[in-house]
């Protein structure tokens, strides 16, 4: 219990520091330091901080998700009108990997992929008008691969739950969600317990 408490609080502290850095990078205000400080402080003072302090997956999810956002923001700052670089690619792929691990912690991490989806969708006008450059194509491919990393983050826990509860010995009763056309432990837990 103490180890869980320590790990959760450490993750919460690190997520506050990552949030501060993220806000510093993404803010265009002249008062970016103050804005970043206020944002990080509000993250500490929010009522959700009780969940971040408890030995629960919430703090680790927050840290991983914010780190993924930070790497994504750094990749965009690295791009800034320049041709794609290996650093930009590595940062974007790293963000996808962090989003995947965050999604394994909590299924709502899947929503983090929307930022990558938006990044690809903004190239649609260039694709339709056939004005896509090699640099654009590279960025689309790297961003798509980063987004695809998130898929195992949602599928792997489902697979493990299916293996554990649905393919057991014939003597045990299988849960009703195993018989669905697309078996989803998440849907079943949401409908039953929430």
């Amino acid at each position: 219990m103490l180890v869980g408490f320590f790990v959760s609080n450490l993750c919460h502290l690190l997520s506050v520091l990552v949030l501060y850095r993220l806000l510093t990078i993404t803010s265009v205000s002249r008062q970016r330091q103050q804005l970043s400080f206020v944002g990080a402080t509000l993250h500490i003072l929010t009522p959700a901080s009780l969940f971040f302090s408890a030995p629960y997956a919430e703090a680790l999810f927050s840290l991983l998700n914010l780190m993924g956002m930070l790497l994504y923001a750094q990749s965009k700052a690295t791009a800034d009108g320049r041709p794609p670089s290996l650093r930009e690619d590595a940062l974007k792929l790293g963000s996808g990997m962090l989003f995947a691990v965050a999604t394994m912690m909590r299924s709502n991490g899947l929503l983090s992929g929307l930022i990558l989806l938006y990044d690809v969708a903004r190239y649609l006008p260039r694709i339709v008008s056939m004005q896509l450059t090699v640099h654009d194509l590279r960025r689309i491919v790297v961003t798509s691969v980063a987004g695809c990393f998130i898929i195992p983050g949602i599928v792997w826990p489902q697979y493990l739950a299916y293996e554990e509860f649905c393919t057991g010995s014939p003597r045990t009763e299988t849960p009703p969600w195993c018989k669905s056309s697309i078996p989803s432990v998440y849907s079943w837990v949401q409908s039953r317990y929430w």
Side-chain angles (χ1 to χ4, degrees):
M1 190 74 150
L2 286 175
V3 171
F5 180 76
F6 175 76
V7 169
S8 290
N9 280 281
L10 178 64
C11 288
H12 183 42
L13 170 66
L14 293 174
S15 70
V16 169
L17 298 174
V18 170
L19 178 62
Y20 179 86
R21 179 72 180 130
L22 177 62
L23 291 172
T24 302
I25 289 174
T26 57
S27 175
V28 292
S29 169
R30 285 188 284 165
Q31 299 172 335
R32 86 175 63 182
Q33 301 294 5
Q34 291 89 349
L35 179 69
S36 301
F37 179 76
V38 169
T41 302
L42 289 174
H43 185 65
I44 294 169
L45 298 177
T46 180
S49 290
L50 292 173
F51 291 107
F52 294 142
S53 298
Y56 183 62
E58 196 71 40
L60 181 57
F61 167 77
S62 174
L63 175 62
L64 293 168
N65 201 40
L66 287 171
M67 285 176 59
M69 290 290 177
L70 178 61
L71 290 184
Y72 175 80
Q74 288 175 330
S75 78
K76 298 303 278 182
T78 301
D80 199 25
R82 292 180 284 245
S85 65
L86 287 176
R87 175 175 165 71
E88 177 189 344
D89 295 347
L91 288 167
K92 198 167 284 181
L93 292 171
S95 74
M97 288 180 201
L98 286 167
F99 290 151
V101 177
T103 304
M104 282 187 202
M105 296 285 129
R106 293 189 43 89
S107 62
N108 58 354
L110 185 63
L111 296 174
S112 302
L114 291 176
I115 195 167
L116 299 170
L117 183 62
Y118 171 77
D119 205 9
V120 170
R122 69 186 182 90
Y123 286 103
L124 285 177
R126 289 187 192 171
I127 293 171
V128 170
S129 64
M130 302 297 281
Q131 296 176 345
L132 206 59
T133 67
V134 174
H135 298 309
D136 294 339
L137 185 60
R138 177 176 170 173
R139 285 190 170 117
I140 290 170
V141 168
V142 170
T143 305
S144 297
V145 169
C148 287
F149 286 159
I150 299 171
I151 295 170
I154 195 77
V155 172
W156 183 249
Q158 293 284 340
Y159 172 76
L160 290 177
Y162 185 82
E163 284 293 311
E164 177 76 22
F165 297 106
C166 301
T167 62
S169 69
R171 294 175 291 187
T172 60
E173 185 179 332
T174 58
W177 64 270
C178 293
K179 298 175 182 101
S180 299
S181 56
I182 300 177
S184 171
V185 69
Y186 291 136
S187 306
W188 184 73
V189 167
Q190 287 291 327
S191 65
R192 182 170 175 111
Y193 297 107
W194 295 96

